[in-house]
Amino acid sequence: MHCRLAITSMSLGRCYAGHSFVHKLDMARIYGYEGIELFYEDLVDIAEQLPGDNMRENELEAANIIHQLCHERGIAILCLQPFAHYEGLVDRQEHLKRIEKLEFWFQLARALHTDIVQIPSSFGPAEELSEDVSLAVADLRKAADMGLEQTPPIRFVYETLCFGTRYNTWEQSWDMVRAVNRPNFGLCLDTFNIAGLIYADPASPSGRTTGCNEAVRDCVARLVSTVDVDKVFYVQVVDAERLAAPLVKGHQFYSAEQTPRMSWSRNCRLFYGEKDRGAYLPVAEISRAIFQGLGFQGWVSMELFHRRMADTDAVVPKELASRGATAWAKLVRDMSLRTEETPSDMGRMTASL
């Protein structure tokens, strides 16, 4: 197997800022991306432009359109994401609504010709999320079992966010994968979300947590010694900028509805190696653990969230696609990644064109 470059569709510009999916896809093709993580927002945007009032039918048609657009450009759809706010809901009626929504997402996945749905850890209000880990495990196992019943089976990738309410570390995501114990349930290792908790503190004047360097050393050692690389379904590699001032009340990115890490995450991520833009996380060390320590090979996605994505400048998709491609070249060089397909790789990459 070899490493293949992907990017999240909204990372090339937000649809609500006027950046069309077709244009973003064209920029992805020009700059060498082999796959996309399809952000649900982009699918809904296309569905809303279709005639008729039945949004479910429109979303299914949008999924078919997206698959065709990607197929024409030789771009795979790695996954559909994010299936958010799912695990451990206190309100079990809301849980049943999520199950109904998941059944529909299976239809979307089939139309898209992808076999992965991504579930991020919930970041809703604490009072809405149970502290009972066994409930979260049961919910995730339910999704996995439903996925196994599909034809073809649907896989799930679980990713803990550094601003997750109950689950925010890669160790917790690995514990979930082991507890769910299903062949179609794995994890996504995201350099930003790993470093964003143990190394970065955007609300601190230093931008760093106390003891951050030791925490990173311990983290990568545990990662290499603990995780079964076969359960890592794909990885995301991005960095983030160190802020000039703490992200507290009065800061331009401050939001009373979001934790500092969440607001920073939404506004300030950067591509790998963008030191000139203020990137400061230990992404190289974490990437080295993933690619060289674990020996990961497969899809590598650039999941960028940045305020630039919401700018209406027509050049945004081209600019972001170019920056991501430059970051990929640096990552390939720094990590000695193998990016060329060999005969033994044929048929092993499961995301479909």
Side-chain angles (χ1 to χ4, degrees), residues 66-237:
I66 288 169
H67 167 251
Q68 185 61 33
L69 291 170
C70 290
H71 181 75
E72 290 169 354
R73 291 159 178 79
I75 293 177
I77 300 174
L78 168 57
C79 73
L80 176 62
Q81 67 120 321
F83 191 75
H85 306 299
Y86 170 68
E87 83 282 23
L89 291 173
V90 171
D91 186 337
R92 301 315 285 174
Q93 289 303 310
E94 282 299 316
H95 169 74
L96 292 177
K97 291 179 183 178
R98 297 293 200 281
I99 292 293
E100 182 182 353
K101 181 180 179 181
L102 183 57
E103 292 279 9
F104 179 62
W105 271 47
F106 290 150
Q107 297 180 52
L108 294 176
R110 281 193 292 272
L112 292 165
H113 292 229
T114 187
D115 73 334
I116 297 181
V117 169
Q118 186 224 63
I119 301 178
S121 63
S122 295
F123 51 90
E127 61 270 19
E128 296 179 7
L129 300 171
S130 173
E131 296 182 36
D132 183 358
V133 176
S134 65
L135 180 62
V137 170
D139 288 348
L140 294 170
R141 186 181 293 131
K142 171 67 174 177
D145 286 342
M146 289 171 64
L148 287 173
E149 294 171 356
Q150 305 305 305
T151 305
I154 296 294
R155 296 187 292 160
F156 291 90
V157 61
Y158 185 65
E159 177 185 0
T160 41
L161 309 178
C162 65
F163 49 90
T165 305
R166 300 293 183 199
Y167 312 109
N168 57 14
T169 70
W170 73 260
E171 289 94 338
Q172 289 172 314
S173 67
W174 177 239
D175 287 345
M176 286 292 186
V177 168
R178 294 178 65 202
V180 169
N181 192 27
R182 293 294 186 270
N184 63 328
F185 193 85
L187 74 160
C188 168
L189 293 175
D190 180 334
T191 60
F192 168 80
N193 279 311
I194 293 172
L197 182 71
I198 65 172
Y199 185 87
D201 181 359
S204 166
S206 71
R208 294 173 172 85
T209 59
T210 302
C212 58
N213 292 319
E214 182 180 359
V216 171
R217 285 194 298 271
D218 292 346
C219 167
V220 297
R222 281 195 307 275
L223 185 71
V224 172
S225 65
T226 302
V227 171
D228 176 359
V229 71
D230 289 339
K231 298 298 286 186
V232 181
F233 289 174
Y234 66 88
V235 302
Q236 295 170 335
V237 178

Side-chain angles (χ1 to χ4, degrees), residues 271-282:
F271 290 109
Y272 176 83
E274 292 193 318
K275 303 294 185 184
D276 58 322
R277 296 177 181 269
Y280 78 113
L281 300 181

Side-chain angles (χ1 to χ4, degrees), residues 4 6-9 12 20-30 33-39 42-43 46 61-80 108-109 111-114 299 351-353:
R4 302 176 71 182
I7 193 165
T8 312
S9 59
L12 295 173
S20 74
F21 184 77
V22 170
H23 182 52
K24 292 190 292 185
L25 210 57
D26 284 340
M27 292 302 101
R29 179 187 58 81
I30 288 170
Y33 296 85
E34 295 186 67
I36 61 164
E37 293 184 75
L38 179 64
F39 207 61
D42 281 313
L43 187 148
I46 292 175
E61 179 58 24
N64 285 313
I65 291 169
I66 288 169
H67 167 251
Q68 185 61 33
L69 291 170
C70 290
H71 181 75
E72 290 169 354
R73 291 159 178 79
I75 293 177
I77 300 174
L78 168 57
C79 73
L80 176 62
L108 294 176
L112 292 165
H113 292 229
T114 187
W299 286 105
S352 301
L353 288 180

Side-chain angles (χ1 to χ4, degrees), residues 240-352:
E241 67 182 280
R242 179 181 174 182
L243 300 176
L247 206 166
V248 295
K249 192 173 183 178
H251 193 282
Q252 63 173 323
F253 302 141
Y254 176 80
S255 170
E257 287 74 43
Q258 298 178 351
T259 65
R261 278 192 175 90
M262 182 176 179
S263 180
W264 174 64
S265 168
R266 290 291 179 258
N267 287 283
C268 304
R269 297 195 203 188
L270 295 169
F271 290 109
Y272 176 83
E274 292 193 318
K275 303 294 185 184
D276 58 322
R277 296 177 181 269
Y280 78 113
L281 300 181
V283 174
E285 290 88 336
I286 296 169
S287 296
R288 198 167 294 115
I290 293 170
F291 294 112
Q292 298 178 2
L294 290 179
F296 175 83
Q297 297 183 74
W299 286 105
V300 182
S301 182
M302 308 284 178
E303 188 191 44
L304 184 80
F305 282 91
H306 192 274
R307 54 197 179 275
R308 180 62 170 154
M309 293 155 36
D311 289 346
T312 57
D313 299 351
V315 74
V316 165
K318 176 179 169 61
E319 173 194 310
L320 295 175
S322 174
R323 284 172 52 192
T326 298
W328 173 243
K330 292 178 184 176
L331 186 70
V332 169
R333 178 200 65 202
D334 293 349
M335 302 298 137
S336 302
L337 300 184
R338 185 167 68 84
T339 59
E340 296 297 322
E341 188 176 50
T342 66
S344 63
D345 293 327
M346 298 302 292
R348 295 177 64 186
M349 303 304 289
T350 56
S352 301

